[in-house]
Structures are given as structure tokens and as C-alpha cells.
Amino acid sequence: MRAFTITSRSMLLGILLFIAPQALADVILHAFDWHYNEVADRAEEIKNLGYKAVLVAPPLKSNAGNCAWWQRYQPQDIRVIDHCKGNKQSFQAMINALNDSNPARRVDVYADIVLNHMANERNGATDFPGQAALNSYAGNPTYWNNQRLFGNLTQGLFSPWDFNPANCIQNYNDVWQVQNWRLCGGAGDSGLPDLNPNSWVLQQQRAYLQALKNMGVKGFRVDAAKHMTIWHINQIFTADIKNGLYVFGEIITSGGTGNNEYNSFLAPYLQYTDHKAYDFPLFESLRRAFTPSGSMNELVDPGAYGQALANNRAVTFTITHDIPTNDGFRYLIMDPTDEYLAYAYVLGRDGGKPLVFSDSTGTDNNRWVNAFRATFMQRMINFHNRMQGQGMEVLASSNCAILFRRGQEGVVGINKCGGQVTFNVNTNGRFYWYRTYRDVLSGSATFSIGGSNHSFSIPARQARMWYAD
């Protein structure tokens, strides 16, 4: 394809919008299905790469005999930590390893928590953890007391009275069904027993969160938040529990304002809680923009049209663990090059906390295994951390490409098309003059400003993330 040259004069005036910087937006590593020991063993590397938080496997008891990733999302008991990816001792050792006497190097632990339901097992039983588990606790009290977070392990945790009726969700547009009935797999599956937020359940769930906080956990990802009532969520997350913690919910939508899932589930969550959330509206904007018929103009200011969450509420991403591991979401997987370019946008822009997915299951021929340490990822995180506190101004955009600056310290160009794109930009007051700007991705592409206009060229299917050297 031929190269494109566009002058900033031809851009819509609304593009030249300077957005004041948000508070620090530290990068989260999602160490998906990693053993706690593996996270601890890589603690120094994680610190050196510039991550500031790690989201880890749910700390609870699940079926230790089956190590499929989804077992960690089917709790048998939340009073103890024990599954094939670690126990309470390894969980604490991981927290300690990621901590650091130098606050600038400390990496926080965010725990993935499952509060909506319990495990689908034992022919649909709703007494948890079940008599076999209680017998195991009694038979080896030293081990199990060492794994205990709270509570009396000689007694059960939940009884049939602590669950909603055993109805499977039939209509995912019906808020009542989605938040009070069971997630079921079809073909006669009895589904995941859905917890009723009675006073006993709330007491146990608060004790669980407080125990994790006491261990040093600094944040929570609320799994299946879409399936919990706002009242339930707010009853668990008291002011004392939330104090000093980063809390974000998983509410999957296929768009932002105007989308039924957004209006019914995500908008109320943002309105009636102070939690953060996965920015699925921005993700959908990214997916549309990177399709062959899509336009990068859509990424100029998606929040202005309700197609991205507010900067201080958003966890931004290009892929989550649910996308490749669930058949119903696999259509959301991006082309590898588009995903790379989308990461340049997410890690280059000012807004939200970027989450980097690094897999341990090996799905899709190990595509995301060790993604956290990929060379391009290291360099993008380096750029992101350099730009902390810098505002953002979109300088130019077209169907193919977008160019934005981060204060005077950096500039990002992203080109999704098959030919080079060049933007001619007025530089007055926007950049340092006679100072080298170096592309962190290639390490070699440089420019300096010596006049009131400058041409920025972005190669085909590439990104540039220049910083003031």
C-alpha cells in the first residue's frame, strides 16, 4: 500500500484536546494461574520490569485433585487457602517476596476473589465444605490450621439455607435472573450454587476479606461482580475493608453507553459503588478501531462518547483470561499484531490502570506464556512509567493511525494499516526543541524538533513510543 501524509491542519479542531494527567496508573501483571511459588521466585524480575501490582489466583480451597484453571473459581471453602497452585504459606511467602524496603520497588498483591457462588460438585450439594473436607481437617489439624484464614474448621461454613433457589439463568438480559439465579453450563448441569447475602454469609465474606488484608493483600478483583447485587457488594466491602485497597469488578459488556449490558450492569456498578472496573467499553472501541473497516479516529477520545470508562475508574486491557479460555468469548481474541498495537495504545495513553495478561495454562500454543517479560512489553512498560504524571494531547488521527503526545516528555504513534503514515504537526509549545526523542520500541528511531512544524512517520503495522532522551 502507498504511504499516507496528513497535515494537522486537516484534523478536526476537537482532536487537539489536552487532557490533564490522572493520578498514578501503575501496571498490573495478571499472573494467570501461576503457582504462588512461581510468582515469588520471579519477584525481583517483576520489580525490575516495572510492574507495581500482581493479580494472583484466588486464595481459597478448591478441588486439589483437578488442576484445571477454572477449579480456582469454584470455592469449596474460603476459610482456608489450599489448591494445586499453593496454600497459605506460599501465599504469604509470595506477598513477602514482592514487598520491598524501597517503596518505589514494592509490588502489591491483588487477590482474585470469588464471592458470588460456591463449587458445583458432590451432585449439587449445598453444604460446604462438605463432610469429607471436615473429616480431612480433623484428621490433620496441624496442616489445616496453618492454612486457616478465619473461622472454626470443626464446623461447616455454609448450609443449604445460605443459597438462592437452584434456578439456572435463562435470560441474561434479566437483571434479577443474572444476579439471583445460577450460572449453569447447560445439558442438565445443576450450576454453581448461588450465595444468598444473608447476615451469616455477609459475616463470613467480610471476615475472609479482612483476613486477606491482614496478610498484606492490597487489592481485590471481584470475580463475577455482574452476578451480584449492588447491595450485596456494598455490604461486604465496608469502609474499613476498602481503606487502602484497590478494588475492581469483573462486569463483561460488549460496549459502553447505549449497550444493554453496560446500562443494566456496569453503569449501576459504577454509580452505586466506588470500585473500579474492567474497561470493556474501551476494549470494544479498540476492537472496532483495529478491524479492517474500523477507524483509529474512534480512539481520539472514546470517553467523551461513553465508550471508555473514566480514567480513575478503569482497568484497561487488550485481553483477559476469560477471552481465550471460554468458547463463548474467543471471538474477542485480536490478531497478534493488532494486540501489540493495542498494548501501545493502552500503555502509551494517560488513563486507567493497564493490566497485562501472562498465562500459565498454555492455551493457544502458549501464545501468552511469559508475555509479561516479552521484549516489547518491557519497553512499553518502561515508556508508561516514564510518562507518569504527564498529560495527553491527541495531535492527529486518521482511519489508519493516531498520534498523541504525553506532555513534552513523549509522543506515541500507532499505525494499523499496510503503508507508512506521516502526520505533519505544529510543534509550538508542545515539545522540547533541539533535544533527541528516542523510540523505546526500536531503540534506534529518533527525531529532534528544530522548527514550528515536524513530520512524524509511523511505519506500516507498527507503533512508535518516543521519549525525551
Side-chain angles (χ1 to χ4, degrees):
M1 290 182 64
R2 65 184 177 88
F4 300 89
T5 300
I6 303 174
T7 64
S8 61
R9 187 179 297 275
S10 69
M11 299 298 100
L12 293 174
L13 292 178
I15 288 178
L16 297 177
L17 172 69
F18 186 79
I19 302 172
Q22 69 158 28
L24 293 184
D26 297 326
V27 183
I28 306 167
L29 164 60
H30 187 183
F32 177 61
D33 211 40
W34 293 23
H35 196 288
Y36 300 145
N37 289 341
E38 184 180 5
V39 180
D41 291 343
R42 295 181 171 186
E44 291 306 307
E45 180 182 13
I46 292 168
K47 294 175 188 179
N48 292 337
L49 291 174
Y51 292 98
K52 298 301 180 184
V54 181
L55 174 62
V56 299
L60 43 74
K61 182 183 185 298
S62 65
N63 184 351
N66 185 337
C67 209
W69 69 267
W70 48 264
Q71 284 290 348
R72 257 72 66 211
Y73 294 86
Q74 296 204 22
Q76 295 174 326
D77 200 336
I78 60 172
R79 296 174 300 179
V80 296
I81 303 177
D82 187 78
H83 51 68
C84 73
K85 298 295 182 176
N87 58 20
K88 185 182 177 184
Q89 279 74 56
S90 56
F91 188 78
Q92 185 67 70
M94 173 188 65
I95 293 173
N96 296 344
L98 289 167
N99 202 353
D100 201 288
S101 58
N102 179 358
R105 285 180 54 79
R106 187 188 74 194
V107 176
D108 292 336
V109 171
Y110 294 172
D112 208 344
I113 54 170
V114 185
L115 302 173
N116 173 69
H117 56 262
M118 299 297 283
N120 179 5
E121 60 182 20
R122 294 180 291 127
N123 296 316
T126 51
D127 59 311
F128 286 91
Q131 193 57 52
L134 293 177
N135 291 343
S136 177
Y137 298 165
N140 193 354
T142 300
Y143 176 79
W144 287 108
N145 281 324
N146 284 335
Q147 313 318 319
R148 187 178 70 88
L149 291 167
F150 72 97
N152 183 352
L153 299 186
T154 67
Q155 300 176 359
L157 174 64
F158 297 133
S159 72
W161 303 105
D162 296 318
F163 294 90
N164 289 322
N167 301 321
C168 291
I169 300 169
Q170 302 295 323
N171 180 2
Y172 277 82
N173 292 315
D174 185 318
V175 175
W176 173 262
Q177 285 192 27
V178 169
Q179 297 184 342
N180 292 276
W181 289 5
R182 293 184 175 192
L183 286 157
C184 299
D189 176 42
S190 62
L192 299 166
D194 194 72
L195 283 161
N196 179 285
N198 61 40
S199 59
W200 172 258
V201 170
L202 294 176
Q203 180 184 345
Q204 305 313 300
Q205 292 182 332
R206 290 189 205 109
Y208 173 59
L209 298 184
Q210 187 62 56
L212 292 173
K213 184 177 181 180
N214 292 345
M215 291 183 70
V217 169
K218 298 296 184 182
F220 295 118
R221 172 195 179 270
V222 187
D223 181 68
K226 180 178 184 177
H227 296 277
M228 302 172 68
T229 65
I230 301 297
W231 185 87
H232 185 178
I233 290 168
N234 283 332
Q235 289 297 306
I236 301 167
F237 287 96
T238 64
D240 285 345
I241 288 174
K242 290 186 297 183
N243 185 36
L245 298 185
Y246 188 86
V247 181
F248 64 104
E250 181 213 22
I251 300 179
I252 298 173
T253 72
S254 54
T257 301
N259 173 266
N260 183 63
E261 293 171 307
Y262 175 87
N263 294 338
S264 297
F265 299 101
L266 184 50
Y269 182 82
L270 295 169
Q271 181 177 358
Y272 297 112
T273 79
D274 56 4
H275 301 183
K276 285 69 173 174
Y278 280 99
D279 198 343
F280 275 96
L282 178 62
F283 175 65
E284 184 60 24
S285 297
L286 284 165
R287 288 186 61 249
R288 284 196 302 266
F290 280 103
T291 60
S293 60
S295 172
M296 296 295 280
N297 290 316
E298 187 168 352
L299 301 181
V300 169
D301 188 12
Y305 306 97
Q307 301 310 306
L309 301 188
N311 285 351
N312 65 342
R313 304 293 294 278
V315 174
T316 58
F317 61 92
T318 69
I319 187 161
T320 74
H321 76 273
D322 278 314
I323 292 172
T325 58
N326 287 282
D327 289 343
F329 297 128
R330 286 188 56 83
Y331 74 96
L332 297 173
I333 297 174
M334 301 177 77
D335 168 86
T337 300
D338 288 337
E339 185 180 299
Y340 161 79
L341 297 175
Y343 265 124
Y345 179 82
V346 166
L347 287 161
R349 73 194 284 263
D350 180 53
K353 274 199 176 190
L355 181 144
V356 174
F357 171 68
S358 196
D359 175 48
S360 181
T361 69
T363 186
D364 290 73
N365 296 315
N366 298 318
R367 174 171 163 178
W368 296 279
V369 171
N370 289 325
F372 82 106
R373 57 154 65 128
T375 300
F376 81 84
M377 189 63 70
Q378 298 180 41
R379 293 173 177 175
M380 288 184 182
I381 292 171
N382 177 281
F383 180 89
H384 174 88
N385 291 342
R386 284 174 179 266
M387 297 301 125
Q388 292 279 18
Q390 301 298 319
M392 174 177 168
E393 179 187 16
V394 177
L395 300 169
S397 73
S398 66
N399 286 337
C400 281
I402 187 169
L403 182 77
F404 57 88
R405 72 180 178 104
R406 297 296 308 277
Q408 291 183 300
E409 296 297 324
V411 60
V412 176
I414 303 168
N415 176 10
K416 74 167 188 175
C417 288
Q420 177 176 285
V421 171
T422 299
F423 290 119
N424 297 317
V425 173
N426 183 299
T427 62
N428 288 331
R430 294 192 172 107
F431 298 96
Y432 298 115
W433 281 35
Y434 306 114
R435 185 168 171 183
T436 298
Y437 284 81
R438 185 176 304 278
D439 173 35
V440 73
L441 295 176
S442 67
S444 58
T446 63
F447 72 87
S448 62
I449 303 294
S452 60
N453 288 280
H454 184 79
S455 293
F456 293 86
S457 294
I458 314 163
R461 302 289 284 160
Q462 275 297 334
R464 290 286 184 257
M465 303 177 84
W466 292 283
Y467 66 93
D469 202 352

